[in-house]
Amino acid sequence: MDRKRPFSQWEDLTLVQREHILAKIDSALVAQDLRKGDSVSVRALFELDNGETLELEIPSSWPANSELGWGYMENRFHASKTLDQACALLDSVELLVPPRIRDEELGDAREIVYRLVREGAPRWKIFLKVATTFFWVGVNTIREVIAGLAGQKAKK
Amino acid sequence: MYNSSRFEETMDAPVTAKAALLQVLISGPGYGLELIERVSAHTKGALVLGQGSVYPALRELEREGLVKSYPGEATPERGGRPRIYYKITAEGRRVAAEQRTTMLAVAQPLGAH
């Protein structure tokens, strides 16, 4: 199956796919002996472990220098790893909270986490957001339960 | 339904989260995260609502019949969960107008009377 993804969809790839692409790009940059300050537009085809062919478009602003390029991709890799971990943590409590809080508060928190990653926020800031979300989701779940009980009592 | 004693309750602080949310919802529907930003922009950063105040305030406004919620688009960023949008009801508009009048009257300089 042929699939084409723009570079901005890097976050949609699995960790294995990202590692695979990082290694390919690194070796390609070294092989082409690109110089510091050069810029290049890369349309690269990658065959992934699952047999899928991925055409990845990298914008011309991407630093072509091997060292810079690798550092850039490594940062992106660590950021996306943080994103996966933060989202997995947020998703882990979804069965413990009412559906309304799950959709509204956990959904909004995931949006914030994505935004923080895009802005290049440090790892501690992202996990602090996850921690405060856990705290408020807990408090708001108790509030909702109390409000629900109070509503039932008022109806009687 | 809304009654005057509830209105007095909401006016016991200079500007409550509920009052601020009602004011920004007049300009159109919005969801939690967006409403936090709209309140901050509307008050030029003087009032910044947090996760601990915005969601309970919105749900309370809904229980009081001042706003109505409906599910919006579900995006991959949200893990497939829909955004929960809120829109102001006719009763909400009336209360928001009352609150605005009261706040403006309180803000009048003493010499103006």
Side-chain angles (χ1 to χ4, degrees):
Chain A
M1 183 175 44
D2 280 340
R3 290 179 71 186
K4 186 178 157 185
R5 291 170 196 251
F7 186 66
S8 58
Q9 283 178 17
W10 169 257
E11 277 82 11
D12 292 348
L13 302 173
T14 66
L15 285 179
V16 175
Q17 289 171 332
R18 290 173 203 159
E19 270 172 342
H20 182 76
I21 289 167
L22 278 176
K24 287 257 183 185
I25 288 178
D26 191 44
S27 57
L29 289 173
V30 172
Q32 287 176 44
D33 191 28
L34 289 161
R35 287 183 192 158
K36 199 173 180 176
D38 287 349
S39 69
V40 67
S41 180
V42 180
R43 278 172 70 108
L45 282 173
F46 299 105
E47 199 175 317
L48 302 174
D49 295 343
N50 60 2
E52 184 185 349
T53 305
L54 184 77
E55 185 181 356
L56 193 76
E57 284 183 290
I58 298 173
S60 57
S61 56
W62 189 67
N65 172 267
S66 171
E67 203 181 310
L68 283 176
W70 175 249
Y72 177 77
M73 292 301 285
E74 213 167 23
N75 285 343
R76 290 291 300 256
F77 177 66
H78 287 307
S80 53
K81 214 168 171 180
T82 303
L83 180 78
D84 288 346
Q85 289 167 345
C87 288
L89 273 174
L90 287 171
D91 293 346
S92 69
V93 295
E94 69 174 6
L95 294 175
L96 305 173
V97 299
R100 173 70 174 266
I101 291 180
R102 177 196 66 207
D103 290 345
E104 188 166 39
E105 299 191 27
L106 292 179
D108 282 5
R110 274 184 67 126
E111 267 193 55
I112 296 173
V113 164
Y114 265 83
R115 195 181 295 176
L116 288 171
V117 169
R118 271 198 296 269
E119 288 168 0
R123 201 174 146 83
W124 65 265
K125 204 172 176 184
I126 292 159
F127 285 102
L128 182 66
K129 178 63 207 165
V130 173
T132 55
T133 298
F134 280 161
F135 174 77
W136 285 116
V137 161
V139 170
N140 292 342
T141 299
I142 295 166
R143 278 178 178 167
E144 278 301 289
V145 170
I146 291 170
L149 291 174
Q152 278 179 357
K153 215 173 177 181
K155 276 182 190 169
K156 281 180 188 172
Chain B
M1 251 317 141
Y2 197 81
N3 60 42
S4 60
S5 65
R6 274 208 194 124
F7 177 63
E8 282 156 18
E9 264 177 45
T10 63
M11 295 305 290
D12 62 359
V15 180
T16 64
K18 282 161 68 180
L21 288 165
L22 268 189
Q23 294 301 322
V24 296
L25 280 168
I26 292 174
S27 60
Y31 69 103
L33 206 55
E34 184 196 351
L35 291 171
I36 291 173
E37 285 161 6
R38 261 156 71 178
V39 167
S40 177
H42 200 76
T43 60
K44 295 185 174 70
L47 182 64
V48 181
L49 299 180
Q51 200 178 349
S53 57
V54 73
Y55 302 111
L58 285 167
R59 288 193 276 264
E60 214 175 310
L61 285 169
E62 188 171 28
R63 280 193 283 270
E64 290 168 3
L66 303 181
V67 300
K68 202 170 159 34
S69 70
Y70 60 96
E73 67 274 30
T75 61
E77 273 192 13
R78 297 178 64 84
R81 301 174 183 95
R83 281 179 176 162
I84 307 293
Y85 282 91
Y86 292 87
K87 64 177 176 190
I88 195 163
T89 61
E91 182 66 4
R93 267 180 207 282
R94 192 187 64 74
V95 172
E98 266 183 58
Q99 287 176 339
R100 185 183 277 257
T101 311
T102 310
M103 281 189 274
L104 287 173
V106 171
Q108 288 275 330
L110 289 174
H113 291 286

